[in-house]
Amino acid sequence: MAGLLFLAAFPNRSFALDPSQPFSSYLQTHFTVEDGLPSGIVDDIVQSRDGFLWLIVNGRFLVRFDGQHFTGFDERATVRALALAPNGDLWLGISDHLKRIPAAALNQFGRFPGVSYQPDPGGASDIVCLHVSRDGALWVGTTAGLYRFADGSFSPIVRELAIHRIEEASNSHILAVTSAGFIEYGSHTVEHPEIAAQLDVRSDKVFHVLEDSHGVTWFCTSEGVARRIGNSIEKLRPYGPAGHRAMRAYEDPQGNVWFLMEDGLYRATAGGLELALPSQNLRWIYGDADGDLWVGTNGEGLDRFKDRAVRMFTRSDGLPNNVIMTVLATSDGGLWTGANCGGISRFDGKRFKTYNEKDGLLNSCVWSLAEDTNRDLWIGTYGGGAFRFRDGHFTQFSKGQGLTSDIVKGLIAARDGSVWLATDDGVSRIRNGQVRNYRTTEGLSSNHTITPFEDRAGGIWIATSRGYDWLGGDRFVSRVSFRDRGASPIGEDEFGNIYISFGPQAEVRRFYNGRLDPVAAYISATGMAETQQRELWLSGWGINRVASNALRQRPAQDEPLDYESFGVADGMASLQCTVGHPNSALTRDGKLWVATVQGVTMMDLPRLHRTARKPSIYVEEVTVGRTTQFPGHALVLPAGTHHVELQFDAIEISSPEKSRLQYRLDDVDSEWLDAPHPARATYSNIPPGAHAFHIRACNRDGIWDRAGTVYTITQLPYFYQTHFFQFGSGALLIMLLVGAYQLRVGQIAAAMNTRFNERLAERTRIARDFHDTLLQTIQASKLVADDALATNTDPGPSRDALSLLSGWLGQATEEGRSALNSLRSSTVEGNDLAEAFRRAGEECSSQHQIDFGVSVEGSGREMHPIVRDEVYRVGFEAIRNACAHSGADRVTVELSYLENLVMRVRDNGKGIDPDIAAKGRGRHFGLVGMYERTARINGKLTISSSFGAGTVVELVVPRSIVFQSANPVRPRLLAKVKQILLRPFRRGL
């Protein structure tokens, strides 16, 4: 199903074709097979609530029209009649059954999901005509009788007669034309043979009976049209057997009654019948909710007639020529125009009266008009200077009277009584008959001036080819520089915003507080008029209506401007408005007049058609690659799709040219894109995933529905673009990285263990050699000294020397044994670092009166002896420094075996200088030795301290270095990775 934006009933107020205008003045649009109409024979027309127009063409085919596109539907049987139910459902009368299509399905393509019914077997199901009565019942005319359908069942009313037409009277009686003549059904059937007799025709020659909304009954017969008012029947001329047969009567939604007759389309008037459209090929007539009239023909297609929004006044209406440069509404309610080399003309309500050279206007090339405070008319001409028109006489002001130039491009009459003239050589002011000229020497940005302008505060502005200048005192001051782009003021709104026509495209910009902001980039304007309803009418390239508050601020990015355009489709002969000043005027009766190159346009603003209806948006078709398909509820694209084209539109059958659309595809388009008719969006290589295709449109009044509608497009990915593949690839990459990390850690640990084992072996060799050589020699020397001392009993220096030597040799022997033990075994006993630090702490406590404690987190593990000794020596040095130098009364050691080996020594002493903590103290090697030992075992030593806050010494040794058991990182890390990878699958299960 296409994305239908809004299903809304039409507003109650609508406008008919203006009956005061001749039918030939209405705007006619002709649709033929060249425009997409499947056939030139149109047999039935009805409009559904979403705005679509539904047709039966060629006597059998169902067609839908959105204002620009015709779409045909393939029904298996012949479609003969259409009717719209109160709930919006569409009824189809088909040659062998009745079909109901739900309102929600009317925007679909392909075969409709309808429900079929059969009034009765046989000919009773051969549908001829349909009618929905005011009570919501469906009346079905068949070739074998009349039936009423309500509450899901049929009731037979008339049998064995073919029913040709069905209408409803004001008293709810059914008026039916049968194969036997006219009948009326209320509670029972009443035949009316007397009607045929009064109309001078046979009973079977009454073709249609209609009672209109005013209670008048109309009869269409083989002789013509007759009407009954009360009990009196009047035959309307032309009436008789000579080709005046009337086949159908129709009352449009506005109460106009129309007749399809043998020689054309007629309209009922108070005086009788008016031939509206001569033709011998008319088959159907229908009035839509906008007041437009649709006429189906027999082979010539479909015609739409609508009232003109714009009426043209040209040379045939008294104008001297069609190139009108300026138009002015005067204080007495009059309207004046100025023509290019044609003079000035005044409108008397029907025609224009012209004044030119013969009347004293010595130059008739008029470019500008103004009315001064004395109600005198001022005329600016191209080549003749300016003229004042007073009491039927013209007075000229030219170079001979002091003007700088005779080429006057614009003039204004200021509220102080002065008249300002813009020429191609400066500005001239006329006050009390005196001329004062201004040029660049008086502050103008250029002598080539374009238009003068007076703001609401009485300030005088001059637009030149170089800028926008303001009169301050008796000199002009440049306020805005245009850099030779050209600009001219076109008007000021009630809020004090001055609007300027800027650049060669006449783009509308707002001038306020010295700033020039673009506010209507899409509108080209050379003139402006403001209504009491605060609507700005901008004339330039066509005529545009926009609310004044919509232009009060610069539009936000991607924010569309609400405005309505009027052009050729509304009755303008040309879109090109002229550049005279002013080129538009509002008269007291609410009419807007605009000067164009093809005459003067007039718009009766109070009579303009208005609508509050939101636009109905739908997606018509989708092309994927080279295959065109129906859009459905959403679009799913196979992997590898490189070309997608979407055709969409808004339903607007009255003024489709006024509909504007924009679209945006999420994740692809960074901004809203304009969609010119026919609206299409083309994409290539849409990224995988679901994307919202947004469409928004404005109605024919130019009001945007900013929410719009959304159509979902899903691009299926290749297998390598799926989340599963990407997740699996990521998992594999993580596993490879983990494996590489483990391999590297293992290599480092193996290298460290090799180095530690080599160091251990070297220590063992040194201990053995030390025991076998030096220590043996020292022991032997001590024995010799002891023996000499035992044999020497004489007191004296020699005995004292031997005694001292024996003591030294004994001490050397003990120190040698101690060093030998430190080389052959660990400094600490077994594997218990905590116990070793406890003993070191007890010695510290006994010497310095310090409270000492050790805490352990985790279970002790087997450690490499070399690494364990280095850890102990670093910790011992930290304990010794804390006891000897910190002045602390509390020292603690923390050991953690949870992951890596972590040792912390804390004290609450006076702290240590950060520079000393980082580098050590000169000629003191305690801290330097701690850093060196840490580096040898690939550990990390951190000393944190501040004055008065104690010191923390932290040593961290990687588990792969210190612990001798099989590396536990690998199984634990792999288990964690496995848990993460399997988590989505377990959730799915």
Side-chain angles (χ1 to χ4, degrees):
M1 183 179 70
L4 186 64
L5 169 68
F6 187 75
L7 296 175
F10 292 109
N12 294 328
R13 183 175 70 96
S14 58
F15 292 83
L17 298 176
D18 187 353
S20 66
Q21 298 297 321
F23 192 86
S24 59
S25 71
Y26 301 145
L27 295 172
Q28 178 182 6
T29 305
H30 189 52
F31 301 94
T32 65
V33 292
E34 286 76 16
D35 302 299
L37 185 65
S39 170
I41 302 173
V42 179
D43 297 288
D44 201 345
I45 307 172
V46 71
Q47 187 178 25
S48 54
R49 287 168 45 179
D50 53 17
F52 281 120
L53 205 67
W54 298 86
L55 318 172
I56 298 176
V57 301
N58 207 27
R60 59 174 299 174
F61 298 112
L62 181 66
V63 175
R64 185 179 65 196
F65 183 50
D66 66 2
Q68 301 202 59
H69 309 103
F70 293 94
T71 303
F73 297 90
D74 181 22
E75 290 291 333
R76 292 189 177 92
T78 299
V79 181
R80 292 181 175 173
L82 302 173
L84 192 70
N87 64 355
D89 293 350
L90 181 66
W91 289 96
L92 307 182
I94 304 178
S95 58
D96 59 355
H97 66 283
L98 182 68
K99 186 173 183 179
R100 179 179 60 85
I101 302 174
L106 293 179
N107 61 330
Q108 290 191 8
F109 290 81
R111 190 170 297 280
F112 286 115
V115 180
S116 296
Y117 304 87
Q118 287 191 334
D120 259 340
S125 294
D126 189 356
I127 312 297
V128 176
C129 57
L130 300 173
H131 178 80
V132 177
S133 56
R134 288 187 290 270
D135 61 1
L138 178 68
W139 294 81
V140 182
T142 75
T143 57
L146 176 65
Y147 296 83
R148 182 179 185 270
F149 181 77
D151 300 325
S153 62
F154 288 93
S155 301
I157 304 301
V158 176
R159 293 184 181 273
E160 299 180 354
L161 288 177
I163 308 300
H164 302 309
R165 290 279 188 268
I166 306 172
E167 298 291 349
E168 183 178 12
S170 58
N171 59 4
S172 299
H173 288 186
I174 295 299
L175 310 178
V177 174
T178 75
S179 55
F182 167 49
I183 65 172
E184 184 175 358
Y185 177 78
S187 58
H188 60 281
T189 302
V190 178
E191 298 181 359
H192 289 288
E194 76 283 359
I195 295 295
Q198 294 179 51
L199 297 175
D200 298 327
V201 297
R202 298 201 318 257
S203 294
D204 60 351
K205 296 302 181 180
V206 177
F207 302 130
H208 196 185
V209 179
L210 170 72
E211 182 182 341
D212 67 20
S213 56
H214 303 288
V216 179
T217 303
W218 300 88
F219 300 94
C220 295
T221 75
S222 59
E223 303 293 310
V225 174
R227 64 184 173 192
R228 182 176 65 191
I229 303 176
N231 294 321
S232 174
I233 292 182
E234 178 187 6
K235 301 170 188 176
L236 302 182
R237 299 174 62 184
Y239 194 88
H244 301 301
R245 180 176 56 179
M247 300 303 301
R248 184 168 186 261
Y250 174 74
E251 184 181 18
D252 65 26
Q254 294 76 34
N256 298 310
V257 181
W258 304 83
F259 303 95
L260 295 183
M261 300 182 66
E262 191 172 1
D263 58 343
L265 175 66
Y266 283 78
R267 175 169 56 183
T269 65
L273 297 180
E274 172 196 6
L275 179 60
L277 180 67
S279 176
Q280 295 181 348
N281 295 304
L282 305 182
R283 295 183 68 89
W284 201 264
I285 184 170
Y286 182 79
D288 66 23
D290 295 318
D292 298 343
L293 194 69
W294 297 81
V295 178
T297 71
N298 185 22
E300 297 178 0
L302 177 67
D303 289 291
R304 181 190 66 206
F305 297 91
K306 69 176 183 178
D307 202 5
R308 290 176 175 268
V310 178
R311 300 196 180 277
M312 297 298 303
F313 291 85
T314 62
R315 196 168 193 169
S316 61
D317 300 291
L319 291 172
N321 60 51
N322 289 340
V323 183
I324 306 303
M325 299 300 296
T326 178
V327 59
L328 176 71
T330 54
S331 57
D332 61 357
L335 180 76
W336 290 85
T337 65
N340 186 6
C341 300
I344 61 174
S345 303
R346 180 179 173 88
F347 187 59
D348 64 6
K350 293 184 179 181
R351 293 185 58 82
F352 286 89
K353 179 182 178 182
T354 299
Y355 300 82
N356 50 31
E357 286 86 352
K358 63 180 175 54
D359 302 292
L361 182 61
L362 301 181
N363 187 302
S364 62
C365 297
V366 179
W367 273 57
S368 185
L369 292 173
E371 182 186 26
D372 65 17
T373 55
N374 295 322
R375 297 190 175 184
D376 294 338
L377 186 67
W378 287 82
I379 303 104
T381 69
Y382 195 92
F387 293 84
R388 182 182 63 201
F389 185 57
R390 175 189 294 175
D391 299 330
H393 300 285
F394 292 94
T395 301
Q396 185 177 22
F397 293 84
S398 62
K399 292 180 68 174
Q401 286 75 39
L403 298 186
T404 60
S405 171
D406 286 337
I407 298 176
V408 178
K409 293 185 176 180
L411 60 81
I412 61 168
R415 289 190 287 276
D416 64 359
S418 61
V419 177
W420 292 83
L421 292 77
T423 77
D424 63 349
D425 189 23
V427 174
S428 297
R429 184 193 67 191
I430 302 175
R431 178 186 292 170
N432 299 325
Q434 302 298 314
V435 178
R436 167 78 161 91
N437 294 319
Y438 297 83
R439 292 187 174 90
T440 54
T441 53
E442 283 75 33
L444 286 177
S445 56
S446 171
N447 287 333
H448 183 66
T449 61
I450 302 171
T451 308
F453 180 77
E454 183 183 25
D455 61 27
R456 292 177 181 269
I460 300 298
W461 299 77
I462 301 294
T464 76
S465 61
R466 302 285 306 270
Y468 195 34
D469 305 332
W470 174 74
L471 180 65
D474 201 36
R475 287 186 59 83
F476 282 93
V477 179
S478 179
R479 289 296 178 90
V480 181
S481 175
F482 296 143
R483 300 179 182 178
D484 295 322
R485 294 191 62 183
S488 61
I490 58 176
E492 181 182 15
D493 66 19
E494 64 172 329
F495 304 107
N497 299 293
I498 298 175
Y499 295 94
I500 292 177
S501 175
F502 187 80
Q505 302 301 322
E507 173 191 339
V508 177
R509 296 196 175 187
R510 180 175 62 95
F511 181 73
Y512 187 75
N513 285 339
R515 292 183 53 188
L516 195 62
D517 293 328
V519 291
Y522 296 101
I523 298 178
S524 173
T526 54
M528 186 187 94
E530 184 176 15
T531 67
Q532 294 180 351
Q533 292 74 30
R534 296 182 177 177
E535 290 180 337
L536 301 182
W537 290 86
L538 306 172
S539 52
W541 191 251
I543 302 171
N544 301 276
R545 175 178 63 191
V546 61
S548 61
N549 58 5
L551 300 182
R552 290 181 62 187
Q553 56 187 358
R554 190 169 184 168
Q557 184 178 7
D558 270 355
E559 179 67 17
L561 178 65
D562 294 334
Y563 72 95
E564 181 182 7
S565 295
F566 297 84
V568 175
D570 300 287
M572 292 185 71
S574 171
L575 290 175
Q576 185 178 354
C577 303
T578 51
V579 295
H581 180 79
N583 74 347
S584 61
L586 273 171
T587 51
R588 294 175 180 176
D589 54 2
K591 292 183 173 64
L592 175 70
W593 300 79
V594 178
T596 78
V597 296
Q598 291 295 325
V600 178
T601 69
M602 186 275 288
M603 300 179 67
D604 192 350
L605 302 188
R607 277 192 54 84
L608 284 181
H609 296 198
R610 305 286 181 127
T611 180
R613 189 171 66 243
K614 289 185 178 181
S616 296
I617 303 171
Y618 71 103
V619 179
E620 184 174 358
E621 66 180 22
V622 174
T623 300
V624 180
R626 296 183 178 180
T627 304
T628 300
Q629 63 191 53
F630 297 130
H633 295 278
L635 178 63
V636 178
L637 301 175
T641 300
H642 298 295
H643 177 82
V644 179
E645 187 174 295
L646 300 103
Q647 181 174 327
F648 53 93
D649 216 324
I651 306 170
E652 176 52 61
I653 66 170
S654 178
S655 300
E657 72 283 348
K658 294 180 183 291
S659 178
R660 302 188 299 275
L661 294 100
Q662 292 182 333
Y663 66 92
R664 189 191 71 212
L665 181 62
D666 285 352
D667 307 318
V668 177
D669 297 323
S670 59
E671 61 183 359
W672 286 90
L673 304 176
D674 293 327
H677 294 291
R680 292 181 181 271
T682 303
Y683 294 97
S684 59
N685 301 320
I686 296 177
H691 309 277
F693 182 64
H694 300 268
I695 311 172
R696 65 185 182 187
C698 69
N699 61 15
R700 69 164 179 267
D701 282 359
I703 307 302
W704 284 86
D705 174 26
R706 286 159 173 78
T709 190
V710 177
Y711 180 67
T712 302
I713 301 175
T714 302
Q715 172 67 68
L716 297 179
Y718 284 113
F719 75 94
Y720 56 79
Q721 294 175 312
T722 62
H723 292 302
F724 179 81
F725 181 85
Q726 294 171 351
F727 180 79
S729 300
L732 179 61
L733 178 62
I734 292 174
M735 294 179 68
L736 291 175
L737 292 176
V738 170
Y741 171 77
Q742 292 177 347
L743 178 62
R744 181 58 181 159
V745 169
Q747 291 174 344
I748 294 174
M752 293 293 296
N753 285 330
T754 300
R755 289 168 53 194
F756 290 152
N757 289 333
E758 289 174 353
R759 289 173 60 187
L760 183 60
E762 180 65 16
R763 289 177 60 174
T764 302
R765 184 189 65 78
I766 293 174
R768 183 172 58 250
D769 292 345
F770 181 73
H771 176 271
D772 294 341
T773 56
L774 180 60
L775 188 57
Q776 295 294 333
T777 301
I778 293 174
Q779 288 178 336
S781 299
K782 184 178 186 308
L783 291 174
V784 171
D786 289 342
D787 182 68
L789 183 62
T791 57
N792 187 359
T793 58
D794 296 331
S798 60
R799 183 175 178 82
D800 292 338
L802 287 174
S803 177
L804 181 61
L805 177 62
S806 176
W808 285 351
L809 290 173
Q811 181 178 351
T813 299
E814 292 299 325
E815 291 176 350
R817 286 196 181 99
S818 176
L820 180 62
N821 288 334
S822 66
L823 287 172
R824 293 193 64 90
S825 61
S826 174
T827 306
V828 298
E829 296 182 0
N831 200 45
D832 197 349
L833 274 175
E835 183 61 29
F837 286 135
R838 245 183 230 106
R839 289 199 300 271
E842 290 174 357
E843 181 180 353
C844 171
S845 298
S846 63
Q847 296 178 0
H848 300 281
Q849 300 298 315
I850 291 177
D851 183 16
F852 184 83
V854 178
S855 63
V856 179
E857 187 178 13
S859 302
R861 303 176 61 180
E862 189 68 27
M863 293 176 285
H864 197 288
I866 297 297
V867 181
R868 183 184 58 204
D869 286 352
E870 298 291 7
V871 172
Y872 173 76
R873 293 180 186 277
V874 171
F876 181 81
E877 181 66 22
I879 295 171
R880 189 183 67 81
N881 286 339
C883 292
H885 305 297
S886 70
D889 57 12
R890 173 70 178 167
V891 177
T892 60
V893 177
E894 301 170 3
L895 287 173
S896 173
Y897 297 94
L898 293 180
E899 292 291 336
N900 302 318
L901 176 63
V902 180
M903 179 203 70
R904 296 186 190 88
V905 178
R906 300 178 186 269
D907 69 63
N908 61 352
K910 62 186 178 182
I912 185 173
D913 187 284
D915 291 336
I916 296 176
K919 302 177 182 178
R921 184 177 297 175
R923 297 188 179 183
H924 292 264
F925 301 102
L927 291 178
V928 175
M930 293 169 66
Y931 281 112
E932 290 176 348
R933 292 179 185 277
T934 300
R936 285 200 295 268
I937 59 176
N938 275 14
K940 180 180 180 181
L941 181 66
T942 305
I943 301 177
S944 305
S945 180
S946 58
F947 288 111
T951 303
V952 178
V953 178
E954 180 183 78
L955 172 64
V956 179
V957 184
R959 62 188 307 143
S960 59
I961 303 298
V962 64
F963 299 131
Q964 280 192 329
S965 58
N967 189 359
V969 174
R970 180 175 179 181
R972 191 170 298 181
L973 184 59
L974 285 178
K976 187 171 292 185
V977 171
K978 181 178 179 182
Q979 181 181 8
I980 294 173
L981 294 179
L982 292 180
R983 188 177 300 160
F985 300 97
R986 289 172 179 165
R987 289 177 180 171
L989 295 176

